Amino acid sequence: MSNNPLKYIDPSGHWQEGDENLNIDVQDRIIQLTKEWNDAKGNSHKQAEIHAEADLLRGLDKMFSNEFAPFKESFSVYDTTEAIEIIQIYDSYINLTSQSLGVSKEMIAAVLFREMRCFAPDDAFDPYKLSYLGQASIGLGQIFISTARRSETTVLGKTSTKTDQQYYQLLMNNETNIFYIGIINMNLNPSSPNQAVLTAYNGSSNYGSAVMSYVKLFQKYYSTIQ
């Protein structure tokens, strides 16, 4: 999609060297995007958007695979292309959350991507965790009820009266789950995305540094498509 045959390995310049090492879902999506790029000839803005998505997929997949290879790929629920598709589907809600709370859009997207890629099959048993353990990491953002309650109370300035079950229903809804990602990050640091904020979201120093790398990729992507 960069149309530079000297840099890329097929005559038209649409397939980058190293793409063959990406996960198969990303390879398939890049092939599809290449067709869409060709179909969009004459529409430079559309071609730029397609190119930006391909670069986002490449970057995220490489970063995630390098960190978790080889074991994580075998039991993630969402692959890279599925996670990006969901982020695109809920773009309007990510925008709304970003604008209403003053939280970086790219940080919300980066957290969403990380949590979805780390979403394991046993997370499907969250209702049982909630019933038997009284706690669960719930929904796309894998949010604990206690974290949602604490952050909401701090941001809104009043003690929440919602029950655990009410929070569970809110967090199981993708749209409100995204909103709580914003609330949590606003509670941690309302000014700007940084590694310490992201580390606090998950509790792992590796999480903070990894998601900040994703943030940079989403910044580049959003700057192109908007």
Side-chain angles (χ1 to χ4, degrees):
M1 270 160 271
S2 294
N3 201 26
N4 181 352
L6 296 178
K7 183 177 180 182
Y8 303 106
I9 62 176
D10 75 304
S12 65
H14 297 147
W15 183 262
Q16 291 191 16
E17 185 175 1
D19 282 354
E20 70 278 4
N21 298 321
L22 298 170
N23 286 299
I24 190 65
D25 63 288
V26 177
Q27 292 188 43
D28 288 345
R29 179 58 180 157
I30 288 175
I31 291 170
Q32 180 183 352
L33 287 170
T34 299
K35 181 180 183 303
E36 292 177 11
W37 189 93
N38 285 320
D39 291 342
K41 282 184 177 178
N43 187 338
S44 58
H45 180 69
K46 180 63 176 178
Q47 286 187 322
E49 289 181 341
I50 293 168
H51 188 179
E53 181 178 342
D55 281 347
L56 178 68
L57 287 165
R58 288 185 180 103
L60 290 172
D61 196 63
K62 288 175 182 177
M63 287 181 182
F64 187 88
S65 295
N66 287 341
E67 183 179 3
F68 287 103
F71 65 92
K72 195 68 184 180
E73 297 301 322
S74 64
F75 62 88
S76 292
V77 170
Y78 299 104
D79 60 35
T80 296
T81 56
E82 289 169 334
I84 295 303
E85 182 179 7
I86 291 171
I87 289 170
Q88 291 170 333
I89 288 171
Y90 289 97
D91 182 70
S92 62
Y93 295 98
I94 296 172
N95 272 330
L96 178 63
T97 298
S98 174
Q99 293 167 5
S100 61
L101 297 178
V103 177
S104 162
K105 178 178 180 178
E106 52 266 22
M107 182 164 75
I108 297 170
V111 169
L112 267 173
F113 175 80
R114 174 63 172 224
E115 295 299 333
M116 282 191 284
R117 284 301 275 115
C118 291
F119 197 113
D122 64 346
D123 290 321
F125 294 101
D126 273 342
Y128 298 98
K129 293 179 184 177
L130 183 63
S131 297
Y132 292 106
L133 303 178
Q135 191 55 271
S137 53
I138 301 168
L140 294 181
Q142 289 293 274
I143 298 171
F144 276 78
I145 288 172
S146 59
T147 304
R149 175 182 284 110
R150 182 174 62 253
S151 297
E152 185 180 29
T153 297
T154 302
V155 169
L156 298 181
K158 60 181 180 181
T159 302
S160 172
T161 59
K162 296 184 184 72
T163 65
D164 281 2
Q165 189 59 38
Q166 287 173 320
Y167 273 109
Y168 179 79
Q169 294 300 323
L170 286 169
L171 295 173
M172 284 297 290
N173 179 288
N174 291 342
E175 297 163 13
T176 49
N177 191 285
I178 289 169
F179 193 73
Y180 274 97
I181 291 175
I183 290 176
I184 291 167
N185 283 287
M186 183 180 177
N187 177 37
L188 294 170
N189 185 342
S191 59
S192 64
N194 59 62
Q195 186 169 323
V197 171
L198 296 165
T199 297
Y201 184 99
N202 177 267
S204 165
S205 58
N206 290 338
Y207 182 95
S209 58
V211 177
M212 277 306 297
S213 298
Y214 304 157
V215 166
K216 293 177 182 178
L217 292 174
F218 277 105
Q219 285 175 331
K220 183 178 179 181
Y221 171 67
Y222 286 135
S223 68
T224 300
I225 68 170
Q226 292 175 343

